[in-house]
Amino acid sequence: MAGAGLSFQPIPNAFLPELYTDAFFAGQFDISQNIIFRADVSVYTDNILGDNILKNTPAYFSLDEVSITYSGFLGTLSHYLSAFVGETDPIGSDLFLRRHFGIPAFGSKITETQRGIPVQRSIRCQV
């Protein structure tokens, strides 16, 4: 998944507003039938409008999640073992059940985020 958003902030007595951007990329790689690797990164910028739109704009890179999950079966029981850094899906959440069991979404569309960017950041460094 990937997405981007823009935030406008009007400035009194100024011709141009402030414009901030944020974007994210989340990917999942099935290394084997039983091992899944997942990563989620975000990028945030300072005001991109100003004296010179072509100038260097400070940007912040966040590594929101890196995880590896092993899924196995013992008879009719499913077992999952995950190691992760950052945010991960809580057990029982709509997203967790969709990813691990392949069931259809049951969460309300009203409470679903459109930007996909988590509120908390785990690792942040300036680019």
Side-chain angles (χ1 to χ4, degrees):
M1 293 188 308
L6 299 172
S7 299
F8 289 94
Q9 180 66 40
I11 303 297
N13 303 324
F15 177 70
L16 292 174
E18 289 184 345
L19 177 63
Y20 301 92
T21 62
D22 50 27
F24 76 96
F25 173 77
Q28 175 176 307
F29 303 97
D30 295 344
I31 297 171
S32 71
Q33 185 177 0
N34 298 24
I35 298 175
I36 299 169
F37 174 78
R38 192 169 27 253
D40 186 355
V41 296
S42 302
V43 177
Y44 309 90
T45 67
D46 283 346
N47 181 21
I48 62 173
L49 299 177
D51 298 335
N52 182 358
I53 196 167
L54 301 176
K55 67 178 177 154
N56 292 333
T57 302
Y60 304 94
F61 169 82
S62 295
L63 183 58
D64 298 318
E65 176 191 354
V66 174
S67 65
I68 189 160
T69 303
Y70 171 79
S71 62
F73 298 95
L74 183 60
T76 58
L77 299 175
S78 299
H79 298 280
Y80 293 93
L81 178 63
S82 292
F84 64 91
V85 174
E87 301 291 321
T88 189
D89 310 322
I91 295 174
S93 70
D94 179 61
L95 189 55
F96 177 87
L97 295 173
R98 283 189 288 163
R99 282 184 178 164
H100 294 287
F101 298 105
I103 66 172
F106 61 84
S108 171
K109 293 290 184 187
I110 294 173
T111 60
E112 190 173 295
T113 178
Q114 293 300 311
R115 292 176 16 191
I117 300 172
V119 176
Q120 297 178 350
R121 313 295 186 253
S122 36
I123 300 171
R124 177 168 272 204
C125 62
Q126 188 168 357
V127 177

